[in-house]
Amino acid sequence: MRRSMAKASVYTALNLMFFAVIGTALLALTYDLTHEPIARSEENEKLKLVTQIVPAAAYDNDIIKDTAQLAPDKLLGNDETTIAYRGRLNDQPSIAVLQVIAPDGYSGKIHFIIAIYRDGRIGGVRVVSHKETPGLGDYIEIAKNNWITGFNDTSLENHKDSDWQVKKDGGAFDYMAGATITPRAMVKAVHKALQYFAQHRDELFAQSPLSSLDKGRLGGVNSNLR
Amino acid sequence: MTYQEFKDIFYNGLWKQNTGVVQLLGMCPILAVSSSVVNGVSLGLATAVVMALSGAAIAPIRQVVPNEARIPVFILIIAVLVTVIQFAMNAYMYSLYVVLGIFIPLIVTNCIVLARIEAFASKNPALQSALDGLAMGFGLTAVLAVLGGIREIFGHGTLLSGIDLVFGEAAKSWVITVVPNYHGFLLAILPPGAFIVLGLLIAMKNWLNLRAERKVNATITIAVSSQTA
């Protein structure tokens, strides 16, 4: 009796192992077949997002590969190391793309990327992910409204500190009635990002590019929006 | 396999035992992704493929797997199939993958899949099991399409928005604007809208069933009364 029970358990265990081995083999095969197209489409997606805010004329290098590592900073609103993309024209630094977080949106953090020319002018801003109310605060998405393009070409020079607020608070930036917390958070975070860039510009462009290993660990820009 | 069997399987999956409005299984994806037709149909079809494949894969081995180990083995097979599909979508339909991302691994935990395996594939041959999975999946897809359509029209005033994620940029012109200059209706897009519309769909299904039943009863009464007359 005991013997047949032991036999049954061994059979069950072997059975389970057999299917686990087959399953693992299948997964390994699929991974092997798809990991290249996956890496390629992820790269393309990043490039699409980055090239939306970086004009093609502003760089001639492989901007997605030319990355720098930024330590967490209050001005960037993050507490993790992030990746910045660097555009160069004729081997001269021309533009940088930073990943920034506006921590005080209406429903939590708003993640966005910002392109800043070497002279401190904004090339463009795009929201990457947010949880703002659909239909109210989501006009910061380019798909819903072109409000976000209002940041283009602004800089610390052409907008003094008190301008970096929404018009309702006496600043220079538009907002929409019914949702002022969202644009307030965005304006504040963009202002801080410009300050960060002004302070760290030279070291950002001087840093040697990351190895692809580090990049995988850190994770670059990925949009969660359509 | 007889034609009658074939018909029964599809009648069950699409109508009589519909996973979305009769069995009420897999509510999480139903409510979460049905904010537009494209999202709903895409996840529905992905589930249908998983169900058909897992039915086909599990039915032939149903006699080999010992009873005690069947749940882990079934789940293992379903998980492998889902992950394969996830890899494939990530590689070849990236933008759609971004939208449906977190819901694809959740197909594994969707009780519809394991429920059909337990109820059908572990007792029937491979072909029937695959067809049963497919029919159940199509039934779910149909519910998700209707639900997504209603929510999209009320929420955004459009139909088929986001179709370019599946068929590429050229498909952008396929989007139908049902109500021009629509300002949007938040409730329909948020989860409560999903509950309300699903409730209405279930009510409609029950009403249709009752009506059909009454018709049958009426004909029987007529037949009986004409006989006695």
Side-chain angles (χ1 to χ4, degrees):
Chain A
M1 176 69 201
R2 193 179 288 158
R3 190 153 186 159
S4 70
M5 238 172 87
K7 225 168 152 184
S9 340
V10 169
Y11 177 73
T12 307
L14 285 179
N15 198 287
L16 203 53
M17 200 176 86
F18 172 75
F19 285 108
V21 168
I22 290 189
T24 314
L26 250 173
L27 283 187
L29 183 75
T30 324
Y31 174 78
D32 201 53
L33 288 175
T34 53
H35 82 273
E36 255 172 57
I38 289 175
R40 224 177 305 126
S41 48
E42 273 173 4
E43 199 108 298
N44 275 343
E45 193 69 8
K46 268 178 216 168
L47 194 66
K48 242 198 299 194
L49 206 64
V50 167
T51 48
Q52 269 185 30
I53 54 172
V54 181
Y59 67 98
D60 56 9
N61 62 334
D62 191 352
I63 189 165
I64 293 297
K65 296 246 165 69
D66 192 348
T67 54
Q69 202 171 328
L70 305 186
D73 197 292
K74 261 214 308 261
L75 291 175
L76 294 176
N78 53 22
D79 41 23
E80 273 171 11
T81 304
T82 54
I83 281 182
Y85 301 98
R86 300 176 293 191
R88 296 170 199 274
L89 200 56
N90 304 322
D91 281 332
Q92 290 305 306
S94 57
I95 195 163
V97 178
L98 313 183
Q99 305 181 50
V100 189
I101 297 173
D104 42 7
Y106 186 72
S107 342
K109 292 177 177 174
I110 303 169
H111 294 250
F112 64 92
I113 55 172
I114 179 169
I116 309 174
Y117 289 103
R118 196 174 179 283
D119 62 9
R121 262 182 319 120
I122 290 179
V125 182
R126 283 294 176 279
V127 172
V128 176
S129 70
H130 72 86
K131 296 194 205 73
E132 303 304 288
T133 323
L136 275 179
D138 63 351
Y139 62 84
I140 53 174
E141 266 178 58
I142 191 76
K144 305 274 155 67
N145 195 289
N146 61 5
W147 176 84
I148 199 100
T149 57
F151 287 115
N152 293 3
D153 285 322
T154 55
S155 69
L156 294 178
E157 269 161 37
N158 60 25
H159 281 68
K160 57 182 191 297
D161 277 357
S162 61
D163 286 339
W164 288 95
Q165 296 177 53
V166 293
K167 282 183 177 154
K168 191 181 184 181
D169 306 332
F173 292 91
D174 275 332
Y175 67 100
M176 281 185 200
T180 42
I181 293 176
T182 309
R184 237 179 231 152
M186 284 299 295
V187 171
K188 208 162 101 188
V190 168
H191 185 206
K192 282 188 184 162
L194 283 177
Q195 291 169 345
Y196 176 90
F197 185 75
Q199 288 169 20
H200 296 87
R201 187 184 68 190
D202 294 333
E203 47 174 307
L204 192 157
F205 281 116
Q207 210 184 92
S208 59
L210 285 175
S211 69
S212 59
L213 197 79
D214 283 337
K215 231 167 39 180
R217 186 169 54 80
L218 286 169
V221 195
N222 269 316
S223 176
N224 290 322
L225 304 173
R226 305 244 209 110
Chain B
M1 177 177 186
T2 61
Y3 174 69
Q4 186 58 35
E5 236 181 317
F6 179 84
K7 230 174 68 181
D8 280 349
I9 286 176
F10 272 86
Y11 178 65
N12 260 335
L14 292 174
W15 186 254
K16 197 172 151 222
Q17 288 292 323
N18 187 296
T19 49
V21 293
V22 180
Q23 299 188 54
L24 302 184
L25 290 173
M27 302 295 279
C28 163
I30 287 192
L31 299 172
V33 275
S34 62
S35 56
S36 75
V37 179
V38 172
N39 286 2
V41 170
S42 309
L43 193 79
L45 290 180
T47 312
V49 172
V50 171
M51 291 182 76
L53 289 179
S54 53
I58 285 168
I61 57 156
R62 66 189 191 278
Q63 268 117 6
V64 191
V65 180
N67 204 33
E68 300 78 35
R70 76 177 193 287
I71 301 284
V73 169
F74 291 171
I75 283 288
L76 181 85
I77 292 171
I78 297 169
V80 167
L81 290 170
V82 169
T83 314
V84 167
I85 288 178
Q86 189 188 356
F87 275 138
M89 278 184 83
N90 195 349
Y92 304 108
M93 286 186 269
Y94 186 76
S95 41
L96 187 67
Y97 172 78
V98 171
V99 178
L100 296 178
I102 56 164
F103 296 106
I104 295 171
L106 282 179
I107 295 177
V108 181
T109 61
N110 190 332
C111 36
I112 298 174
V113 184
L114 190 64
R116 285 325 286 176
I117 296 296
E118 269 286 280
F120 200 96
S122 61
K123 300 183 186 89
N124 290 285
L127 180 63
Q128 275 86 336
S129 304
L131 284 176
D132 177 72
L134 205 62
M136 286 289 158
F138 282 159
L140 178 72
T141 309
V143 172
L144 283 170
V146 176
L147 198 57
I150 295 175
R151 289 179 70 192
E152 198 181 336
I153 290 176
F154 280 100
H156 294 291
T158 60
L159 263 183
L160 298 178
S161 71
I163 189 118
D164 51 303
L165 299 178
V166 191
F167 295 103
E169 285 298 303
K172 267 211 164 114
S173 55
W174 299 0
V175 177
I176 305 162
T177 309
V178 182
V179 191
N181 296 324
Y182 192 63
H183 290 293
F185 180 49
L186 205 51
L187 181 72
I189 309 165
L190 296 177
F195 278 107
I196 293 168
V197 178
L198 183 67
L200 292 175
L201 286 182
I202 295 171
M204 199 179 78
K205 164 89 167 63
N206 289 347
W207 179 72
L208 286 175
N209 279 358
L210 278 178
R211 213 177 60 151
E213 227 170 77
R214 220 175 300 142
K215 231 183 193 165
V216 173
N217 284 344
T219 20
I220 291 171
T221 328
I222 292 167
V224 171
S225 54
S226 60
Q227 248 174 24
T228 45

